[in-house]
Amino acid sequence: MGSTAEHMRVSGIWRYPVKSLGGEPLTRARVGTDGLAGDHQWAVVDESTGTVASAKRTRVWGSLLQCTARLDPDAADPADHADPAALIITTPDGVASAGDDPATLARLSALCGRPLRLQSASTADAEGMTMEMEWAPETQAGMEEAIAYSSARAVQDAGSAVPVGAVPTGGGRGRYYDLAPVHLLTTSSVRRLIDDDTPIRAAVRRFRPNIVVGGDDWDDGYVEDAWLAGALEVGAAGLAPTIPVGRCVMVTLQHGAVARDRTTLRRIAARHRMDVGYGTAAAPALGIYADVDRPAAVRVGDVVRVRG
């Protein structure tokens, strides 16, 4: 199993160029004050409503998680993350095409059953945009005020007891993040939720972290909870942990080749609740969010240090 010190290294880096689409594994990434270069730069938008597509609204957008997005390193200007020509999207049928190819939007629109467009966060309203989410039963305790406020701004599903809420996303920060630019997760925390023979790296993908810390056999509890009290050095980058990552119904869905598991959120709710910075009760949580106070390149294998 090894000691905690032996596991305090970056073992995975993930970038998600398009909100709610699967991402791409990297060996190196530039981490700036707005997060990983190119991460959450784009969103799929419903042409008819102007709403940002989020898999948190599972009945409408859950299928997007079976698509993947990556940035083409051979694009004319790969550093221009707002150029749709540098964006490569692969749909569940295995067909890949660029973000500026009309066939890409045609396939995404067919998948979701409505006309869609791609929108860069650099062109989003400075006040942010709206996405919808479903308040699963496991997430409702202590969130009554938020549920009432958000559900009053959304159309509810007929015959469903699960409230639908409309909430802001992205825009003002130049990306389509929900709460913070960097999401960290340890393999040790994920290990505490595995009750079968699911490979740890497959289980990790369900939670969509940017930076994964620890080896496959790490089993020392919810290690990153303690990091919230201090500062982190990830290689040469300096991170300031902010809040735990509250979990929603997205973790139960199919993520690419990682199969749907309806029990995931239930297990988190039973085993690990924390104050996530909103609501009046501890919520299902796993992993932590962080701001970036010292930009730098981060690489797989970099040492992670906790500073008090």
Side-chain angles (χ1 to χ4, degrees), residues 34-101:
D34 54 354
L36 275 67
D39 188 48
H40 281 76
Q41 178 68 53
W42 292 89
V44 174
V45 177
D46 187 327
E47 280 275 37
S48 61
T49 64
T51 301
V52 170
S54 169
K56 291 179 173 66
R57 181 70 164 104
T58 61
R59 294 184 181 91
V60 179
W61 305 115
S63 58
L64 289 176
L65 288 170
Q66 299 175 45
C67 303
T68 60
R70 63 181 177 87
L71 296 175
D72 184 0
D74 298 322
D77 184 2
D80 183 3
H81 301 130
D83 178 4
L87 183 65
I88 305 297
I89 292 176
T90 303
T91 41
D93 57 7
V95 177
S97 53
D100 62 349
D101 185 339

Side-chain angles (χ1 to χ4, degrees), residues 70-229:
R70 63 181 177 87
L71 296 175
D72 184 0
D74 298 322
D77 184 2
D80 183 3
H81 301 130
D83 178 4
L87 183 65
I88 305 297
I89 292 176
T90 303
T91 41
D93 57 7
V95 177
S97 53
D100 62 349
D101 185 339
T104 303
L105 281 179
R107 295 199 316 279
L108 289 173
S109 297
L111 179 67
C112 297
R114 61 194 65 209
L116 306 174
R117 70 173 187 268
L118 284 168
Q119 182 164 324
S120 170
S122 63
T123 63
D125 189 306
E127 298 301 318
M129 298 177 69
T130 298
M131 68 177 187
E132 292 183 341
M133 63 177 291
E134 295 168 17
W135 291 95
E138 296 87 350
T139 68
Q140 293 179 16
M143 301 294 173
E144 291 81 5
E145 185 175 336
I147 292 171
Y149 180 86
S150 63
S151 62
R153 289 156 176 76
V155 176
Q156 303 302 303
D157 290 334
S160 173
V162 176
V164 176
V167 297
T169 181
R173 290 173 288 177
R175 304 286 186 93
Y176 288 105
Y177 299 124
D178 295 334
L179 293 171
V182 177
H183 169 190
L184 297 101
L185 183 65
T186 66
T187 54
S188 180
S189 285
V190 176
R191 174 69 58 192
R192 289 301 170 101
L193 297 173
I194 298 177
D195 291 341
D196 55 22
D197 58 356
T198 301
I200 188 71
R201 296 296 157 177
V204 163
R205 287 187 59 188
R206 191 176 297 285
F207 302 101
R208 296 173 62 83
N210 294 121
I211 297 174
V212 183
V213 179
D216 291 4
D217 61 344
W218 196 12
D219 189 4
D220 198 25
Y222 303 100
V223 180
E224 60 269 47
D225 292 357
W227 301 352
L228 291 163

